[in-house]
Amino acid sequence: MSKICCYRSFPLIPMLFIALYLCEGFFGLFPFSRIFFPLYFIFFLVGYKDVTPFTKPLSLLMISMVLSMVSCWLFHQQSIISSMSGYCTYAAICIFFVLHHFKIEPKLVEKVIFWMFLIFSICYIYQIMVLPKEIWVKVDEHINMNLPILLRRVRMVGMSLAGLGVFLSLNKILVGKKEYLPFFVLGLVVILLFGFRTLLAFVLVFSYVMVVRNYGFSYKLLLGFAFLFLVLWLFSLTQFGQDIFGFMMERQDNDQDFGNKDYIRYTTLFYYYQEHFQNFLEMFLGSGIPDRSSKSAYALYYARLEDFGLHYYDWGILGMSWMMGVLSLVSMIWYPIKAFFSKLPKDKVYLSVWFGYLFACGFTSAEFVRQGCFLIQGMVLYLITVYSYEKNSCSK
């Protein structure tokens, strides 16, 4: 890649407000228009010629989006302009190209990410506390209002920031900055409130991976994590802990598994591969993301599917490939794996570990493809690009 020798810095607060708004209107608080897709496409055009480790997979992702829009127009009569609103979430990853092309100060980008994590955590907890009042989320059937306040599982734009904040804070603690311990705890609490067992399990697994990457494997580390599990066990004995873990286990008991053909996720998989696609070309190019703001036949078709519990995003990366095509699947496997194996300084390991965590969750949950996540991915990929180059340069 081309050498990055000097960076442009800007005041933190304006950059933070820009990032918060690009994160789908401050986590869904403000309207977010389809005109942002052309803006993101301009971002792509600005920097796609720059040579970076992630230019090819991200370019492939953008190409797949455009091809799936064309496919949606051909097979489902949804205009390309109408399609743009559904693609804003995913095209936001093109922030990578702007950050790299204009060489934005990486420490500034890190500060923006950290403050976004803090703001998101506060907003998320506050939204739970004031339910059923709607601020950042729409109160619908997926929120069980009969549960205690802190057990109401809320899905909100930007949820991937919680995991990133956990890894960032842990990384800071590992390099001697103990003042980040409260932020580490905050991130864990928010993930507990999400109510997803998979996310909590993978956070613990990849926290261990980060510690090993910093210090290497040792039995002391195993003892340390045994102590962490002991703390979690003690937490589970408290009333709040029993409520949290009891809720998770209750969800598990109510869920069906892959051995049952009636299990809704298995049914979704079967439906898409056996019934949904009109032909191989549509499957390869993708059906296209429906414009949910319209009352077109295509939008109503997805509304009916979701009434039956058939949600393509429940299959994460794989499900998104049904909408955006096989090329998007290749891309969304390519760049997170490349990011995870990037060599970074010890105090930046959290960046690659977060991508390992996202990818590990990517086929069993919607974590990788949640609203707001692709903007954060683009920012993190930029930091990995910069710091991996600096790491490689210093090692020569």
Side-chain angles (χ1 to χ4, degrees):
M1 60 172 286
S2 58
K3 184 177 180 180
I4 301 178
C5 56
C6 59
Y7 303 106
R8 293 184 175 91
S9 187
F10 300 92
L12 173 62
I13 293 179
M15 288 291 290
L16 177 60
F17 273 100
I18 291 172
L20 285 171
Y21 188 74
L22 289 180
C23 196
E24 307 214 15
F26 201 145
F27 310 132
L29 182 62
F30 302 116
F32 201 72
S33 172
R34 70 186 63 180
I35 65 171
F36 279 88
F37 181 85
L39 175 66
Y40 291 138
F41 196 79
I42 291 172
F43 288 177
F44 166 66
L45 295 177
V46 165
Y48 80 97
K49 291 184 179 179
D50 295 346
V51 179
T52 78
F54 303 106
T55 297
K56 290 182 179 178
L58 295 188
S59 297
L60 186 64
L61 182 61
M62 286 303 297
I63 291 171
S64 72
M65 290 187 203
V66 174
L67 290 177
S68 65
M69 286 182 180
V70 174
S71 172
C72 191
W73 171 58
L74 291 174
F75 294 109
H76 300 288
Q77 292 74 53
Q78 178 172 283
S79 71
I80 292 177
I81 293 177
S82 295
S83 292
M84 288 181 181
S85 60
Y87 286 82
C88 285
T89 290
Y90 313 102
I93 200 170
C94 289
I95 193 71
F96 167 84
F97 294 106
V98 168
L99 294 173
H100 183 271
H101 186 77
F102 292 104
K103 299 179 175 61
I104 305 301
E105 171 63 50
K107 291 182 179 179
L108 173 62
V109 177
E110 279 192 278
K111 289 179 180 178
V112 167
I113 288 175
F114 177 71
W115 279 103
M116 288 180 73
F117 154 66
L118 286 183
I119 293 170
F120 168 81
S121 299
I122 294 169
C123 293
Y124 186 85
I125 293 172
Y126 181 72
Q127 175 63 86
I128 291 177
M129 299 298 291
V130 300
L131 283 174
K133 183 178 180 180
E134 299 178 355
I135 300 178
W136 285 276
V137 300
K138 181 181 179 181
V139 177
D140 56 25
E141 69 279 358
H142 78 259
I143 300 176
N144 187 347
M145 300 302 296
N146 294 321
L147 289 170
I149 289 176
L150 293 179
L151 297 183
R152 296 171 184 172
R153 192 179 69 171
V154 174
R155 298 168 187 171
M156 186 170 139
V157 174
M159 289 173 64
S160 57
L161 284 165
L164 183 55
V166 167
F167 295 125
L168 184 157
S169 302
L170 178 59
N171 205 166
K172 297 292 186 182
I173 294 169
L174 292 175
V175 297
K177 296 183 178 181
K178 307 299 183 184
E179 63 270 22
Y180 278 83
L181 181 59
F183 306 122
F184 176 68
V185 173
L186 174 64
L188 287 179
V189 168
V190 171
I191 289 176
L192 278 170
L193 293 176
F194 288 168
F196 293 103
R197 302 177 308 279
T198 303
L199 301 189
L200 181 60
F202 279 122
V203 160
L204 296 177
V205 168
F206 281 93
S207 293
Y208 181 74
V209 169
M210 186 191 307
V211 175
V212 171
R213 283 192 173 185
N214 272 271
Y215 295 112
F217 176 80
S218 72
Y219 289 104
K220 289 183 178 180
L221 287 178
L222 284 177
L223 290 174
F225 270 80
F227 175 75
L228 177 60
F229 280 104
L230 175 62
V231 171
L232 287 174
W233 177 72
L234 292 174
F235 170 73
S236 70
L237 298 180
T238 67
Q239 185 59 50
F240 179 61
Q242 288 177 1
D243 290 340
I244 291 288
F245 289 110
F247 174 53
M248 289 182 177
M249 294 308 297
E250 181 183 349
R251 279 175 38 76
Q252 185 176 16
D253 292 339
N254 291 335
D255 285 347
Q256 297 164 301
D257 57 33
F258 283 101
N260 189 335
K261 291 185 178 181
D262 291 332
Y263 179 43
I264 196 64
R265 294 182 75 245
Y266 181 88
T267 304
T268 302
L269 183 71
F270 177 84
Y271 177 82
Y272 271 91
Y273 282 118
Q274 297 296 325
E275 303 291 338
H276 172 72
F277 299 111
Q278 297 181 30
N279 50 50
F280 176 79
L281 181 61
E282 183 188 355
M283 184 178 72
F284 182 81
L285 296 179
S287 295
I289 299 173
D291 177 12
R292 298 178 184 274
S293 64
S294 72
K295 295 184 178 180
S296 66
Y298 189 52
L300 294 175
Y301 163 71
Y302 276 96
R304 287 193 298 271
L305 287 183
E306 291 171 358
D307 285 341
F308 287 104
L310 304 182
H311 302 276
Y312 61 82
Y313 44 80
D314 281 347
W315 277 94
I317 295 171
L318 180 63
M320 193 51 58
S321 73
W322 303 336
M323 301 295 100
M324 297 198 299
V326 174
L327 295 182
S328 72
L329 180 62
V330 174
S331 172
M332 289 186 288
I333 293 175
W334 184 354
Y335 71 78
I337 291 178
K338 193 175 187 65
F340 178 66
F341 287 104
S342 298
K343 295 182 179 180
L344 299 170
K346 283 189 175 182
D347 61 335
K348 310 299 180 186
V349 169
Y350 75 93
L351 298 165
S352 59
V353 169
W354 180 68
F355 262 106
Y357 157 78
L358 272 187
F359 186 71
C361 301
F363 292 90
T364 57
S365 75
E367 187 69 4
F368 191 100
V369 297
R370 286 193 194 282
Q371 288 178 286
C373 186
F374 278 71
L375 178 78
I376 309 304
Q377 288 185 36
M379 297 168 74
V380 173
L381 288 175
Y382 170 67
L383 294 175
I384 291 175
T385 300
V386 172
Y387 291 132
S388 63
Y389 176 79
E390 292 180 356
K391 171 75 173 177
N392 294 332
S393 296
C394 292
S395 62
K396 291 181 181 178

